[in-house]
Amino acid sequence: MSSATEQQHLAGPLSASVANLCQRLQPQVSARTAAGFREVLRRLSAPLQVAVAGRIKSGKSTLVNALIGRRIAPTDVGECTRLVTRFQYGTVDRVELVFFDGTKQVLPFEVGGMIPADLEVDFDKVSHLEAYLTNAVLRDLTVIDTPGLGSLDLASVKRTELLLGAAKHRKEDGEEVEDDGDDELDDTSRNAVAGAEAVLYVVTQGVRADDQQALAAFTAATASREAGPVNAIAVLNKADTITPESVTGSDGDVWKAATLLAEKQAATLKPRVADVIPVIGLIAESAESGGFTSADADALRLLARLDDAVWETMLISADIFTSWECDVPTGTRVRLLEKLDLFGIRHAVDALRADPDLTAGALRRSLLDASGLAGVRSRLDAVFRARADGIKAAAALASVTALAHASGDPGERQRVHDAIEVLLAKPEAHQLRLLEALTLVTSGAVDMPDDLGEEVLRVGSNADVGEQLGMKGRPHNELAAYALERAGWWRSFASFGATPAQSRVAHVVHRAYFLIWQQLKAQTAS
Ligand SMILES: Nc1nc2c(ncn2[C@@H]2O[C@H](COP(=O)(O)OP(=O)(O)OP(=O)(O)O)[C@@H](O)[C@H]2O)c(=O)[nH]1
Ligand SMILES: [Mg+2]
C-alpha cells in the first residue's frame, strides 16, 4: 500500500491532494471508513471511469467497439448485452465473469476475438464482466458498457444500478451477506465509492422526453454524484438513419440534418451534458475495428459499376438492396448492410465512382471520416481527458464526504469535514470548488437566474481564459479589466441579494474571476 507507486498514476495535482488527505486521515478514522478510503485511493490512481449509457439498442456497445477499435462487445442479441462490462487496460487480453459472491471465471474469446454473447453459467449469479485489453485508448480511460436504461428488462437495469451505484454483496440465494468484519465495507460505504466518474450518454433521433429522466436515473446510479457538463457528454447516434426531409434547413443532407438535430437535443439536455455530437457508430465500428475488409471493398467496387437507375432503386430499402437481381451474391450484400447500412454503402459507392482507383485502405478511411468518430474522440479529449484530474478529485471528495457521513460517528465526521475545508481553502484546490459550484447550479440544486447560471457555466466549464470570460481573442488588458469588474460584481452579489445557497456559489465565482485577473496581470507584467 505504498503511496510512491500509486502517485505515479494519479491524474494530476488535485487528485494528489485528495489522495494525500485520504492517507493522512486513515489513522484517525474507524476501520470501516479507512477501508472506504483505501478504495477511494485505489480508484484515484486508476484511469478515469467512463460509462456509456443510454436507452436500449441505442448503439452503446457498437460505439464502445468503435472507440476501442476492436469488435469485442457483443451487439444486438445475447445475454451479454444485458451485463455491465468494464473494459480496462491490461497487459494480456483476458475476460473474466465476476459473480456476486466475488468469485471469478475466465471466459474464452470467441473466434474473431469477441466476448461470447451467451454464457453457460447461471446468469442470475453474475455481477458483471471485466475485460482487460492491451489497448492504448484504455491507458487513461476505463470504458464501461452498460445495459440499456429505460429497458423493460428490470433485471438488467438492476444490474446496471448494482454495479454503478448500489452494489451489494449478495449470497447465492440472493440474500444480502452480513458484514463479517470491521474492514468490510457496508452497503452505504460501498455506494459511496462506487459509480462511474463520467458519462457518455447515447441518444438517437427519437427525442424522448424520458431521456432526460434516464439521464437523471443515471445520475442516481453514479452513486448520487450529479452528472453535469463537467463529466457528461452526449452523442446523437445512428445519424445515418435520420430522414433529412424531416428536418427543416437540412437541404436534404443527412449530416446537416444530424447536426441540426444534435443542436436541438443539446438545448433540451443542457446543461446536463456538455455537448451533443452526431455520430454513426456502426460505420465507425466497421472502419475502426477491422470489420471492413478488402473483400467488402471489392464487392462495393462491383456495385459501383451498376447502372444508375438500378443502383438508385436498390438503395430505396434494405429489402430491395438484398433481393434485387445482381452480380454481387445476396450473402455479401447482407454482410455489407450489417457493417455499413444503406448510408455507408451509398457513401462508399459514391467515393468509388468519384475515384475508381481508391484502395480498400483509402475507402476505409473515407468511411471513418464519414462516421464522425473523430468529433467524438476530440470531445472526449477536451471534456474528459483534459479534466480527468478535476473530475476524479471531485468524485473522490464526494466519496470521502459520503463515507464520513455513513460512519455515524459525529467526531469522525467533523474531522473529515475539517480536513476537506482545509484542502478546499488552498488556492490550488480552487478548481475543485468551481467544479462543485458548477455542478450545484447545472443540476438545479442551487437556483440561479438564467443569465447568471450561464455565466457560472462559462467560467466553470472552460479551460481557456478567453472562453471563460466569453471574450476569446481580445487583448490581455481588456480581459483583465473585465475579470476584475466581474469579480467585484459577484462579491457584492454574494453579500447583497443572494440567497445563502447562491451566496456560496457567488463567493466561488468571485474567487474564480479574481484568480483569472491575477493570472492575467502576472502575464502582462512578465
Ligand atoms: N444504422 C445504424 N445502426 C446502428 C448504429 N449503431 C448501432 N446500430 C445497430 O443498432 C443495433 C443495436 O446496437 P447495439 O450496439 O447492440 O446497441 P446497445 O445500445 O448496446 O443495445 P443494448 O445493450 O441491448 O441496450 C445493432 O443492430 C447495431 O448494428 C448506427 O450508427 N447506424
Ligand atoms: Mg449493448
Side-chain angles (χ1 to χ4, degrees):
M1 192 66 235
S2 110
S3 58
T5 42
E6 275 174 4
Q7 306 266 343
Q8 290 167 4
H9 302 290
L10 291 169
L14 296 172
S15 297
S17 52
V18 179
N20 215 313
L21 174 136
C22 287
Q23 274 158 353
R24 270 188 298 111
L25 281 174
Q26 247 169 357
Q28 303 173 39
V29 294
S30 68
R32 187 170 290 187
T33 308
F37 283 7
R38 272 199 296 282
E39 189 63 15
V40 172
L41 279 166
R42 195 183 60 73
R43 283 177 59 103
L44 264 174
S45 54
L48 187 72
Q49 317 264 309
V50 182
V52 180
R55 306 184 125 272
I56 42 163
K57 299 285 169 251
S58 52
K60 300 176 293 295
S61 303
T62 307
L63 195 62
V64 165
N65 289 337
L67 287 171
I68 298 177
R70 172 168 168 183
R71 214 170 131 57
I72 176 143
T75 53
D76 237 3
V77 285
E79 286 174 323
C80 281
T81 75
R82 287 158 52 208
L83 285 178
V84 169
T85 308
R86 296 162 41 88
F87 294 94
Q88 53 183 310
Y89 187 80
T91 45
V92 178
D93 288 3
R94 180 167 51 109
V95 184
E96 281 176 3
L97 265 173
V98 181
F99 295 92
F100 283 118
D101 66 5
T103 56
K104 293 170 184 169
Q105 180 187 325
V106 174
L107 279 186
F109 285 98
E110 285 198 330
V111 186
M114 285 243 303
I115 294 173
D118 289 297
L119 308 171
E120 275 152 32
V121 292
D122 186 351
F123 193 65
D124 292 334
K125 292 179 185 163
V126 180
S127 159
H128 68 281
L129 287 166
E130 294 276 355
Y132 300 87
L133 301 174
T134 321
N135 186 303
V137 178
L138 299 176
R139 276 187 187 272
D140 50 4
L141 289 184
T142 289
V143 180
I144 307 169
D145 189 12
T146 67
L149 290 165
S151 149
L152 290 177
D153 173 10
L154 288 179
S156 58
V157 172
K158 187 117 192 139
R159 256 194 199 89
T160 310
E161 288 176 355
L162 278 170
L163 186 89
L164 295 175
K168 282 183 180 165
H169 264 338
R170 286 203 295 177
K171 270 201 301 213
E172 310 226 322
D173 55 8
E175 261 176 52
E176 286 167 32
V177 175
E178 291 285 311
D179 282 319
D180 43 13
D182 250 356
D183 266 9
E184 267 294 301
L185 286 184
D186 57 34
D187 292 344
T188 333
S189 309
R190 201 176 301 279
N191 288 354
V193 287
E197 294 159 324
V199 194
L200 180 63
Y201 194 65
V202 182
V203 295
T204 51
Q205 182 182 15
V207 200
R208 306 266 191 109
D210 54 351
D211 262 331
Q212 278 247 49
Q213 277 169 24
L215 196 57
F218 182 82
T219 295
T222 51
S224 322
R225 280 190 297 274
E226 295 283 354
V230 175
N231 65 347
I233 54 183
V235 293
L236 169 58
N237 194 27
K238 306 198 183 183
D240 59 317
T241 61
I242 293 167
T243 329
E245 289 72 32
S246 67
V247 183
T248 29
S250 68
D251 304 326
D253 181 74
V254 168
W255 261 108
K256 210 163 166 187
T259 311
L260 287 168
L261 261 184
E263 277 168 18
K264 223 160 91 189
Q265 290 187 334
T268 319
L269 291 171
K270 266 180 183 174
R272 286 295 200 165
V273 298
D275 225 336
V276 183
I277 312 141
V279 70
I280 307 172
L282 182 65
I283 297 180
E285 181 196 51
S286 299
E288 248 335 43
S289 67
F292 181 75
T293 62
S294 55
D296 296 327
D298 291 340
L300 288 161
R301 236 180 275 285
L302 282 178
L303 292 172
R305 291 196 200 117
L306 287 175
D307 171 73
D308 254 0
V310 169
W311 182 234
E312 285 304 323
T313 312
M314 283 178 74
L315 285 176
I316 289 173
S317 77
D319 281 346
I320 302 179
F321 180 77
T322 44
S323 58
W324 199 268
E325 210 48 49
C326 98
D327 285 348
V328 179
T330 305
T332 307
R333 280 182 271 163
V334 170
R335 197 182 68 212
L336 284 176
L337 265 184
E338 279 169 5
K339 292 182 186 180
L340 302 174
D341 214 340
L342 284 177
F343 179 87
I345 292 169
R346 181 194 281 277
H347 174 90
V349 165
D350 283 351
L352 285 167
R353 285 181 167 181
D355 178 6
D357 294 331
L358 215 56
T359 62
L363 192 55
R364 187 192 67 79
R365 279 191 297 280
S366 164
L367 283 163
L368 185 61
D369 284 347
S371 75
L373 188 68
V376 178
R377 285 234 164 93
S378 84
R379 284 311 279 161
L380 279 176
D381 282 344
V383 179
F384 293 165
R385 271 208 185 81
R387 291 199 208 135
D389 186 30
I391 295 173
K392 290 193 72 77
L397 264 192
S399 298
V400 167
T401 308
L403 283 167
H405 208 84
S407 77
D409 171 352
E412 179 169 315
R413 206 180 299 170
Q414 192 61 44
R415 271 194 300 283
V416 174
H417 174 86
D418 292 349
I420 292 177
E421 283 304 305
V422 169
L423 183 146
L424 287 178
K426 293 182 184 158
E428 62 270 25
H430 179 260
Q431 189 58 30
L432 277 177
R433 289 219 144 178
L434 191 55
L435 290 179
E436 190 201 3
L438 176 62
T439 305
L440 286 173
V441 171
T442 55
S443 66
V446 173
D447 215 19
M448 279 277 176
D450 281 353
D451 53 334
L452 294 185
E454 265 162 41
E455 190 174 344
V456 177
L457 187 63
R458 198 179 59 222
V459 175
S461 61
N462 285 304
D464 173 80
V465 167
E467 278 171 12
Q468 281 182 297
L469 299 174
M471 298 170 72
K472 205 172 157 67
R474 309 295 304 167
H476 254 71
N477 55 348
E478 254 181 61
L479 295 181
Y482 184 70
L484 194 60
E485 182 202 316
R486 293 313 293 161
W489 188 91
W490 280 91
R491 187 173 46 193
S492 47
F493 176 63
S495 318
F496 313 105
T499 65
Q502 287 174 338
S503 179
R504 268 197 302 142
V505 171
H507 278 298
V508 176
V509 179
H510 152 73
R511 180 139 184 90
Y513 276 120
F514 179 77
L515 291 172
I516 292 173
W517 173 72
Q518 265 193 338
Q519 181 193 336
L520 286 166
K521 230 180 39 157
Q523 283 171 9
T524 326
S526 62

